[in-house]
Amino acid sequence: MIMNVRVLTPDRVICTTTANEVILPSLTGQLGVLDGHASLVTALDTGLLRIKLDEAWTPIILCGGLAEIDRNTVTVLVNDVEELFDVELRDATRQLEEATVAATSAIENAEDSKDRLDASVELKKANARVQGLGYLSKKP
């Protein structure tokens, strides 16, 4: 059976689609959702949302938010999303390496927790870009 999926930011609708499977980046790890999933609300981390329809995955980079699962409908409310259209895998890999160095440096030299948190979010985004491009490269 098919689920309905909506991804929304405060200022726009990112997508409204159907899916066979959804994988959410929750704060406690990856959360897989199939038809008939129990109702729940979960907090989302910065990471990769994956939507599967007819054996094809669509990746969307989320920047934190909430997800509600209710009666075969997945509603994702996020602060922001990042598009993967004009990103090359080589550039994304370089950005991941730079974010890793910056996060390590921020953890070692941060004056406050905000600096560490900002570096951590940038590292998660860079990692999600590389993962998302991996899904895009698998398309026929």
Side-chain angles (χ1 to χ4, degrees), residues 57-113:
W57 288 95
T58 301
I60 302 173
I61 298 172
L62 305 180
C63 300
L66 295 170
E68 177 189 39
I69 302 162
D70 188 35
R71 292 188 219 122
N72 290 326
T73 299
V74 179
T75 304
V76 179
L77 307 169
V78 293
N79 301 324
D80 197 12
V81 298
E82 189 171 303
E83 308 285 342
L84 285 172
F85 296 117
D86 294 322
V87 180
E88 294 288 327
L89 182 57
R90 143 180 38 102
D91 294 335
T93 303
R94 180 185 46 78
Q95 291 171 356
L96 176 58
E97 291 168 359
E98 291 171 0
T100 301
V101 169
T104 303
S105 176
I107 290 168
E108 293 172 356
N109 303 320
E111 294 182 17
D112 59 24
S113 59

Side-chain angles (χ1 to χ4, degrees), residues 6-80:
R6 294 182 302 165
V7 180
L8 312 165
T9 67
D11 58 348
R12 67 185 176 128
V13 175
I14 303 303
C15 77
T16 299
T17 187
T18 56
N20 302 106
E21 182 178 354
V22 175
I23 300 177
L24 299 162
S26 78
L27 288 176
T28 57
Q30 300 297 307
L31 175 64
V33 181
L34 296 171
D35 177 44
H37 195 285
S39 296
L40 68 86
V41 174
T42 187
L44 299 175
D45 201 356
T46 297
L48 191 65
L49 165 67
R50 289 165 278 182
I51 301 170
K52 182 179 181 183
L53 180 62
D54 299 329
E55 302 305 316
W57 288 95
T58 301
I60 302 173
I61 298 172
L62 305 180
C63 300
L66 295 170
E68 177 189 39
I69 302 162
D70 188 35
R71 292 188 219 122
N72 290 326
T73 299
V74 179
T75 304
V76 179
L77 307 169
V78 293
N79 301 324
D80 197 12

